[in-house]
Amino acid sequence: TGPSTTPSKQVNYGTDITISNNTLLNFRVKGVIVNHYHNVTTDGNTMSTSNAACNGAASFWDAGDNITFTKNTLYVSSTAANTRVVIIAMAPSNGPAGDSTKPGLVANNMIQYAGTNSTAPTGLLLKNKAYIKVYNNTFKTKNQGGAANCIWLDNNNARSLEGIEVRNNVMTLENSGSGQFVYSGSNAIGGRYKNIVIDYNDYYAPNSYFRNIVPDGTSRSIYTTFASYKANTKGFGVGALNVDPGFVSATDLHATSAVMNDSAAVIASITTDIDGDTRSTTNPDIGADEYTPPTCPAPSALGAFNVTSTMAGIYWTASSSGSTFKVQYDSVGFTLGSGMVMNVSNDTASISGLSGQTTYSFFVMELCSATDSSTWQGPYSFTTPCATISTFPYLETFDNAP
């Protein structure tokens, strides 16, 4: 039977569920669904799927008090509209929004949406819930449209929500030009989030793209540059950064950035990271990972240009000046160590001898000194066009077609 959602009759809610240390793969709709429960702990799980129909990894609907979601690694790559990787919500207008003595906690998670649908893909949706602490998470959202979000703060039942804190998180929009790091849908909704705390977060998208639509208790504030966000008088810019976290790979969201290192606020209750490593008690790190930056960081922002049927220019951003680089390339899917190798003295190179209508990949390693090098960064893939026909008459027999 369904529970009563009248606040004075929460006795019908279930209680005390623990979901820990599981690996959930290739689920179709969602990995975890828990509705109408108090005291739910979801800790240390891996949830990963590329099923096209998936619209989220974990859902806590009509969620009760003391929802704890920690140290989970979530990856969703789907084509479904309205995908929310994590949802914590209370739908009925008379349902319990939250209890200040039993707050929810979302901490030390790596949350990634890598799908292709442009209809509001979101890392974390908090809806009609109060007293939720969002601490030290790493979000990465692949944004194909303006409705993509790392965190969405929603409210559709016209009541005030206290006790929301968003602190020490990494928020990354994978593409430039669209989406929000933090999103609130209207001025009315923004006015319902009272005394919200948002600080010490890192916001990163390529090409200096920036957009935050933040509920501020009166309305909502829209920031389209990091400079204006940093200068706001509401406290949202305190400790804020706008740097590339330097993820280890496209799917491994452990950070390497020297600039971001040691930049978080101290939160006494967050004593370890996603891997169980001890957090610094004086200068902890932003995001899910407590880390020591490598002495030779990997290059970033790999790309290709002037691609023809026989050659291509490739480029990347160096992590330090004066470095040299090693490039390895071949047709897509090759194994590192088996590709063709070039030594390069700057951040661009030209690859020749390519075949038309073929997809190639390349990796780059930075050589900071004779004894210190970075990890391989990549792959970045590009496809050559068909070869130009310039000799006539031309005959294609298709004799070698499969």
Side-chain angles (χ1 to χ4, degrees):
T1 59
S4 169
T5 53
T6 303
S8 61
K9 297 181 180 179
Q10 296 181 44
V11 292
N12 289 333
Y13 267 67
T15 188
D16 299 324
I17 287 182
T18 298
I19 304 168
S20 64
N21 300 320
N22 299 283
T23 298
L24 310 178
L25 302 175
N26 301 321
F27 41 91
R28 185 177 184 274
V29 180
K30 286 185 172 67
V32 169
I33 300 175
V34 179
N35 299 340
H36 312 121
Y37 269 82
H38 297 299
N39 305 328
V40 179
T41 297
T42 308
D43 179 78
N45 301 283
T46 296
M47 307 180 203
S48 178
T49 185
S50 295
N51 189 295
C54 179
N55 61 13
S59 175
F60 306 90
W61 198 256
D62 290 355
D65 301 323
N66 195 27
I67 304 298
T68 300
F69 193 81
T70 51
K71 298 184 179 179
N72 301 287
T73 301
L74 312 179
Y75 176 89
V76 173
S77 179
S78 68
T79 60
N82 301 309
T83 297
R84 331 295 190 208
V85 182
V86 182
I87 301 173
I88 302 176
M90 171 51 67
S93 59
N94 64 339
D99 186 330
S100 63
T101 67
K102 302 172 184 177
L105 177 65
V106 180
N108 285 328
N109 301 287
M110 293 182 176
I111 299 173
Q112 181 173 7
Y113 172 77
T116 57
N117 196 286
S118 61
T119 307
T122 298
L124 171 65
L125 170 62
L126 300 182
K127 184 171 185 175
N128 304 325
K129 287 296 293 181
Y131 304 107
I132 303 287
K133 315 303 181 186
V134 183
Y135 295 156
N136 288 94
N137 301 282
T138 298
F139 297 91
K140 184 182 180 186
T141 299
K142 187 176 182 181
N143 47 315
Q144 287 77 227
N149 317 289
C150 290
I151 298 176
W152 183 356
L153 302 174
D154 195 16
N155 177 304
N156 66 349
N157 54 29
R159 59 180 170 189
S160 295
L161 299 174
E162 296 270 359
I164 300 296
E165 297 184 14
V166 180
R167 312 188 70 199
N168 294 351
N169 300 280
V170 173
M171 299 182 223
T172 300
L173 295 170
E174 186 173 336
N175 304 316
S176 64
S178 65
Q180 293 76 222
F181 300 106
V182 177
Y183 175 72
S184 180
S186 70
N187 290 337
I189 291 172
R192 297 168 192 157
Y193 280 85
K194 305 299 183 182
N195 304 308
I196 191 169
V197 176
I198 301 178
D199 60 15
Y200 289 92
N201 299 293
D202 178 48
Y203 309 92
Y204 177 72
N207 303 317
S208 301
Y209 175 80
F210 188 90
R211 186 172 176 84
N212 260 353
I213 304 179
V214 184
D216 59 23
T218 302
S219 180
R220 60 178 185 164
S221 300
I222 301 175
Y223 305 94
T224 57
T225 67
F226 180 70
S228 64
Y229 183 76
K230 186 72 173 172
N232 81 82
T233 59
K234 299 177 174 67
F236 305 144
V238 174
L241 296 176
N242 182 215
V243 300
D244 185 345
F247 294 139
V248 169
S249 73
T251 57
D252 185 346
L253 304 189
H254 288 80
T256 63
S257 170
V259 178
M260 197 175 73
N261 188 48
D262 295 343
S263 297
V266 175
I267 299 175
S269 61
I270 306 300
T271 58
T272 58
D273 74 350
I274 189 171
D275 303 311
D277 297 331
T278 301
R279 292 275 185 186
S280 169
T281 57
T282 54
N283 300 107
D285 291 325
I286 293 174
D289 181 30
E290 190 79 6
Y291 66 98
T292 299
T295 55
C296 185
S300 60
L302 281 62
F305 65 101
N306 293 342
V307 179
T308 72
S309 61
T310 59
M311 62 187 304
I314 58 174
Y315 64 89
W316 53 89
T317 299
S319 68
S320 60
S321 60
S323 297
T324 57
F325 306 89
K326 183 173 288 188
V327 174
Q328 196 168 153
Y329 71 94
D330 210 328
S331 55
V332 67
F334 79 95
T335 302
L336 270 172
S338 66
M340 290 167 277
V341 177
M342 298 190 301
N343 292 308
V344 183
S345 59
N346 54 42
D347 57 6
T348 60
S350 180
I351 301 175
S352 60
L354 305 180
S355 299
Q357 206 170 3
T358 304
T359 300
Y360 292 89
S361 295
F362 75 94
F363 295 78
V364 183
M365 173 189 288
E366 191 155 342
L367 308 175
C368 296
S369 71
T371 58
D372 195 10
S373 61
S374 75
T375 58
W376 286 102
Q377 182 72 1
Y380 181 89
S381 300
F382 61 91
T383 301
T384 57
C386 292
T388 301
I389 300 172
S390 58
T391 302
F392 300 95
Y394 176 81
L395 175 64
E396 172 58 74
T397 64
F398 297 98
D399 288 344
N400 298 317

